[in-house]
Amino acid sequence: MAARTKSAKDRPSYRCTECGWTTVKWLGRCPECQAWGTVEEYGAPAVRTTAVGRVSTAALPIGQIDGRQATARSTGVDELDRVLGGGLVPGAVVLLAGEPGVGKSTLLLDVAAKAASDEHRTLYVTGEESASQVRLRADRINAVHDHLYLAAETDLSAVLGHLDAVKPSLLILDSVQTVASPEIDGAPGGMAQVREVAGALIRASKERGMSTLLVGHVTKDGAIAGPRLLEHLVDVVLHFEGDRHARLRLVRGVKNRYGATDEVGCFELHDEGITGLADPSGLFLTHRDEPVPGTCLTVTLEGRRPLVAEVQALTVDSQIPSPRRTTSGLETSRVSMMLAVLEQRGRISALGKRDIYSATVGGVKLSEPAADLAIALALASAASDSPLPKNLVAIGEVGLAGEVRRVTGVQRRLTEAHRLGFTHALVPSDPGKIPPGMRVTEVADVGDALRVLQRGRQGGSGDASRRERAEAPREEEARR
């Protein structure tokens, strides 16, 4: 008797738990999102045919569409409006993700209170805390408003019921992984549950013209937890970043259908809540009367926003055969590259046998190559125990051959440095338009930068010249 052939209805199907891609056979790696071990069997696909239905609204020429309905409304927080592109658009769905304890709930509770008014109600739904806990935080950060409604729910149907009762203009759900639908199998936070909850809230937002802010969890790698389909469904994806032991917090746009994705909002987290920083460069600088060896300033770009940051280096005699290399806020690989370039191209051999510590001020993380020149100068200054000029900034990428390469946004960096009172800058060749009153020195390689600084110290005050002459034999001995 011939074996019965399986029909398409009986054939199993496989689906990627990360992006939702489906196939009829199992694969070890998903071809869509390139994730390993995420393709799982979930049942036979149902073959359905969709009949032609009635349209809700007739299609119109694009010139006849009223664009005023998509006008953004301010959230009351200027730094968040900057990242969103002007504010929240009616019907827009925003996903805010970040590590636990970084301040997501504090920021959104502040937004909920400032966005509430007589004409616009705000509904804050919490699935991770009780209503009394949220009220205590609201009292602490002064986020109590008559038109701010609070509910503690983890059931999707109850959340939709609150929407019918309150009729808010802004919905904040903290968080999407804690809400589940009783009609869908699976635990809260699973792929099926997250997709159903997000889909229902997106439909409700579009139908009501209601803005929605969803809080999302992150994995150990820092990626947004749950299926990647969630990021495709929402209109805006924001990442909330920051060191838990520092005051600075950054909101970075990853996806934005209504604005640019290279904007960054800066916030300061303190005991009274969280506040926006229109000029955050003060957090990254140390105010001192006299320059200190081993410090150099640079201008980094966070998105399109220039920020002045300080790089510090310290070298001490090593007590062990293998000297220590410790970094904080800097990439260890780039610091090691600058040490090798200084030793080979700058002829500074004293660094190889000493313990070296390098860090940034204020918890800022410098990862772009434009900070290479500042790192190299800070290390050279620490090795020679001679300070750099007080009002100097260094901008440029350093190659393995010792050359100083051009970086993007040099004019914006120089303008920000001039605004904060800096008068001298070391930059690569052809920097473009220079702000009036700014003295710019173009350097081709690390050797030029070190020679320019040496000439500047020799041309300083008598005390500085005497100190330079006294340190010259020590530097020559270190080179030998």
Side-chain angles (χ1 to χ4, degrees), residues 147-296:
H147 295 282
L148 171 58
Y149 292 80
L150 177 63
E153 297 287 353
T154 57
D155 186 84
L156 177 61
S157 58
V159 174
L160 297 178
H162 284 297
L163 295 181
D164 293 334
V166 179
K167 295 181 174 58
S169 299
L170 172 62
L171 168 66
I172 297 177
L173 178 61
D174 185 11
S175 65
V176 68
Q177 277 88 3
T178 59
V179 179
S181 173
E183 300 179 358
I184 302 298
D185 296 333
M191 185 184 67
Q193 289 287 358
V194 170
R195 180 163 48 187
E196 175 64 21
V197 172
L201 294 178
I202 290 173
R203 288 191 299 269
S205 299
K206 303 302 181 184
E207 294 172 357
R208 300 169 181 267
M210 172 189 65
S211 303
T212 302
L213 286 169
L214 305 177
V215 177
H217 296 168
V218 295
T219 61
K220 294 181 179 179
D221 298 331
I224 300 177
R228 294 295 299 270
L229 182 65
L230 179 60
E231 300 180 47
H232 294 293
L233 289 177
V234 299
D235 301 309
V236 182
V237 178
L238 305 178
H239 273 275
F240 204 17
E241 306 171 358
D243 187 358
R244 298 184 62 179
H245 304 289
R247 296 182 299 170
L248 178 68
R249 298 291 186 270
L250 298 178
V251 176
R252 193 184 309 273
V254 179
K255 171 188 175 182
N256 193 348
R257 292 174 178 169
Y258 310 108
T261 57
D262 55 355
E263 283 287 0
V264 175
C266 299
F267 297 87
E268 181 181 8
L269 187 65
H270 45 78
D271 295 337
E272 291 76 22
I274 187 168
T275 56
L277 293 176
D279 190 6
S281 295
L283 291 178
F284 313 140
L285 302 178
T286 301
H287 301 283
R288 55 176 67 95
D289 296 332
E290 295 295 333
V292 177
T295 63
C296 186

Side-chain angles (χ1 to χ4, degrees), residues 2 29 31 57 98 101 112 173 189 226 252 255 280 342 374 403 437 447-448 465 468:
R29 185 178 188 180
T57 57
L173 178 61
R252 193 184 309 273
K255 171 188 175 182
L342 288 175
E403 78 279 8
D448 288 345
S465 299
E468 186 70 27

Side-chain angles (χ1 to χ4, degrees), residues 167-454:
K167 295 181 174 58
S169 299
L170 172 62
L171 168 66
I172 297 177
L173 178 61
D174 185 11
S175 65
V176 68
Q177 277 88 3
T178 59
V179 179
S181 173
E183 300 179 358
I184 302 298
D185 296 333
M191 185 184 67
Q193 289 287 358
V194 170
R195 180 163 48 187
E196 175 64 21
V197 172
L201 294 178
I202 290 173
R203 288 191 299 269
S205 299
K206 303 302 181 184
E207 294 172 357
R208 300 169 181 267
M210 172 189 65
S211 303
T212 302
L213 286 169
L214 305 177
V215 177
H217 296 168
V218 295
T219 61
K220 294 181 179 179
D221 298 331
I224 300 177
R228 294 295 299 270
L229 182 65
L230 179 60
E231 300 180 47
H232 294 293
L233 289 177
V234 299
D235 301 309
V236 182
V237 178
L238 305 178
H239 273 275
F240 204 17
E241 306 171 358
D243 187 358
R244 298 184 62 179
H245 304 289
R247 296 182 299 170
L248 178 68
R249 298 291 186 270
L250 298 178
V251 176
R252 193 184 309 273
V254 179
K255 171 188 175 182
N256 193 348
R257 292 174 178 169
Y258 310 108
T261 57
D262 55 355
E263 283 287 0
V264 175
C266 299
F267 297 87
E268 181 181 8
L269 187 65
H270 45 78
D271 295 337
E272 291 76 22
I274 187 168
T275 56
L277 293 176
D279 190 6
S281 295
L283 291 178
F284 313 140
L285 302 178
T286 301
H287 301 283
R288 55 176 67 95
D289 296 332
E290 295 295 333
V292 177
T295 63
C296 186
L297 300 177
T298 186
V299 185
T300 182
L301 282 182
E302 287 290 347
R304 292 187 298 179
R305 191 170 192 170
L307 301 175
V308 178
E310 180 177 341
V311 179
Q312 295 183 343
L314 178 65
T315 63
V316 295
D317 294 333
S318 179
Q319 304 298 327
I320 57 178
S322 299
R324 296 183 180 91
R325 300 290 187 265
T326 305
T327 61
S328 176
L330 300 170
E331 292 185 351
T332 305
S333 59
R334 301 208 71 87
V335 175
S336 300
M337 288 173 55
M338 293 305 102
L339 290 173
V341 170
L342 288 175
E343 183 173 356
Q344 185 68 22
R345 310 300 180 187
R347 307 303 179 187
I348 302 178
S349 58
L351 294 172
K353 300 179 181 180
R354 311 194 75 187
D355 292 337
I356 298 176
Y357 305 89
S358 56
T360 58
V361 175
V364 64
K365 295 182 179 180
L366 299 180
S367 58
E368 64 166 345
D372 288 351
L373 186 58
I375 296 174
L377 292 177
L379 293 171
S381 174
S384 62
D385 196 24
S386 57
L388 301 173
K390 184 177 181 181
N391 294 323
L392 172 74
V393 294
I395 303 169
E397 178 185 359
V398 179
L400 294 180
E403 78 279 8
V404 179
R405 303 172 181 173
R406 296 187 60 187
V407 294
T408 60
V410 175
Q411 296 182 17
R412 278 184 290 168
R413 300 173 195 261
L414 292 178
T415 301
E416 177 67 12
H418 182 263
R419 186 184 68 84
L420 294 176
F422 296 96
T423 58
H424 187 197
L426 294 183
V427 297
S429 59
D430 193 17
K433 186 178 179 180
I434 300 173
M438 191 80 175
R439 186 161 59 93
V440 173
T441 303
E442 300 180 15
V443 292
D445 53 32
V446 173
D448 288 345
L450 297 178
R451 284 191 292 269
V452 168
L453 295 177
Q454 185 177 8

